[in-house]
Amino acid sequence: MSELTQKGLSYYDIDEKRKAVIDADNAFWVIPPVNGEGNITIPRNALSFYEKFRGKLDNQMQDFRFSANLTALYIDPTDRCNANCPYCYIPSRIRKNGRSMTKVELFGILEKAAIYFRKHKRKAVIVFHAAEPLLVKDIIFPAIKEFFQEFKFGLQTNATLLEKTDVDFLKKYQVGVGISLDHYSPLVNNRLRPLGNQQGNFQAAVQAIEWFKGYPGLNVITTVTKFNFQGLPGMVSFLHKKGVTCVLLNPVRLTQKYSRGLKPDPMLMAKYFIQAVDKAIELSKKTKQRIIIGNFTNVILGIVAPNARRLMCDISPCGAARCFLTVTAHGEMIPCGEFIGLKGFSGGNIFRTGIEQAMQSAPFKKIRARYAEKIAECNTCLIRNICGAPCPAELHAMGKMYQKSVFCEFYKQIINHAFKLLAAGQEKYCFRKDGMKTLKYEYKISSPGNCRN
């Protein structure tokens, strides 16, 4: 291993046989070939490439991480929800007694947003989120119709209030739709997503998934807890049969105290998450229908095309208060929805001030100032710019924002699995069909063996 002489490069153990060579600062990496004696030889052209482009790679990563280019607003048109999920990051008192925006207020916010994004020459995404936005679909649907040429819209819902005519409307205006479903078993799912009458959202969510079958803007979101992590491979199979092409398997956030009792063991969660990834690849290979796990695809992108990532939780500093912000039903602008219920993070009220002021506010700067190099252990971790050490809201709520992720070992395991898939040339199955064609090589090293870059 004497060839590893370039400053900034280090060996990273993928498994007992394979190693990657990584520059943690800019995410340059190579998986060198291993000869019959188990020795690793780094191709000379890889080292030459690194020496030539290291500065440019450093600058690109620096710009991607620290630029504050807002491209999305999460708008919570209501605080209220018709469900009572035990892990919800919105405190129950807010979900039960909160307010809803008026049509005038919502349209006023979108007008302000349109002016802001026109000024900055960006096409923005507006996502209706929070508790259950379809409680006020009488104001959000007219807003989508009025502003659909100005913004790309998204909607996150438990689907209990979704009607067939609503589906037709959302398809017509090409709204991205996320449907929450936590398990393929109605019993398990409904325990995790109970409604006021003790019935959960399973039947409504599955009906909605069938209505949306074939719609490219659909994804299903599963919150992973200690009660459903073992069902992740089965969830992939279930959704594949339903025609779903993308599912996000998101570890539960522990921002609220009551959610911490639902935390799964990180290593066990990683085991079943990886099985789910492998199941998705298996099904994608042997059938005409592709299914991907969106947050794992983002991990692959974090390695092969770091600047192409779309999910901003695994970037350091994270996308909150930088790439996106949340507007609550009261008009408060906060870094992201996880900060609902946490004091001291409002960047101002959009009914009285503007987005520019929020982006320059002290609370927003505080979130942008938290990055991996300031965190013990993360500052020497070779995959810190793939993992991102999430989530600042979660960690702040647990007493210390500047600490490694509570799911650190989980992220290490799935990133290792991503490298294994890359070494085996299986990464294409982690993207939507033809998804790899949307990426263009900016740098490429032609090399023998299983050296990849």
Side-chain angles (χ1 to χ4, degrees), residues 125-337:
V125 176
I126 304 291
V127 181
F128 293 116
H129 208 270
E132 180 43 58
L134 289 184
L135 284 167
V136 290
K137 62 183 173 183
D138 59 319
I139 69 170
I140 64 173
F141 282 15
I144 291 169
K145 185 176 181 180
E146 179 71 19
F147 290 91
F148 81 96
Q149 291 183 326
E150 191 81 44
F151 303 110
K152 172 66 177 175
F153 283 99
L155 171 73
Q156 175 65 32
T157 177
N158 61 27
T160 54
L161 301 174
L162 202 64
E163 301 175 40
K164 182 63 169 66
T165 53
D166 299 335
V167 172
D168 296 336
F169 174 87
L170 295 168
K171 286 181 177 179
K172 178 181 178 180
Y173 290 99
Q174 300 180 343
V175 177
V177 178
I179 293 176
S180 301
L181 188 69
D182 285 350
H183 206 273
Y184 56 85
S185 161
L187 182 63
V188 176
N189 179 84
N190 291 347
R191 283 179 175 173
L192 288 168
R193 290 189 164 274
L195 301 178
N197 60 3
Q198 301 305 309
Q199 298 297 313
N201 78 320
F202 183 86
Q203 184 175 351
V206 171
Q207 175 66 83
I209 288 168
E210 292 172 353
W211 282 337
F212 277 110
K213 188 172 183 178
Y215 181 57
L218 173 70
N219 63 75
V220 173
I221 299 170
T222 296
T223 300
V224 185
T225 69
K226 70 179 184 181
F227 294 114
N228 68 342
F229 71 88
Q230 291 178 308
L232 297 184
M235 189 67 173
V236 169
S237 297
F238 174 80
L239 294 174
H240 183 265
K241 289 179 182 178
K242 295 293 182 182
V244 174
T245 59
C246 180
V247 57
L248 281 81
L249 306 177
N250 296 332
V252 59
R253 289 291 179 217
L254 310 181
T255 312
Q256 298 299 323
K257 289 182 180 179
Y258 47 75
S259 65
R260 293 168 201 166
L262 301 177
K263 179 188 175 185
D265 177 271
M267 293 297 285
L268 287 175
M269 179 170 61
K271 173 184 174 181
Y272 287 95
F273 185 99
I274 288 169
Q275 288 181 15
V277 169
D278 292 344
K279 174 59 70 174
I281 292 173
E282 174 192 336
L283 292 170
S284 296
K285 281 182 175 181
K286 72 180 185 181
T287 68
K288 293 181 179 180
Q289 181 198 325
R290 185 72 59 94
I291 184 168
I292 65 168
I293 297 173
N295 42 329
F296 185 76
T297 297
N298 213 56
V299 171
I300 295 283
L301 280 173
I303 300 171
V304 302
N307 294 4
R309 283 177 282 185
R310 292 293 178 265
L311 302 177
M312 297 298 182
C313 291
D314 54 359
I315 296 167
S316 171
C318 77
R322 191 169 66 84
C323 303
F324 58 84
L325 62 84
T326 289
V327 181
T328 73
H330 288 266
E332 296 300 319
M333 292 175 284
I334 56 177
C336 86

Side-chain angles (χ1 to χ4, degrees), residues 100-120:
S100 299
M101 291 180 185
T102 66
K103 182 178 178 180
V104 171
E105 288 173 332
L106 178 57
F107 274 52
I109 290 170
L110 293 174
E111 289 284 4
K112 278 193 172 185
I115 292 169
Y116 175 87
F117 289 111
R118 284 186 211 131
K119 176 183 176 181
H120 292 277

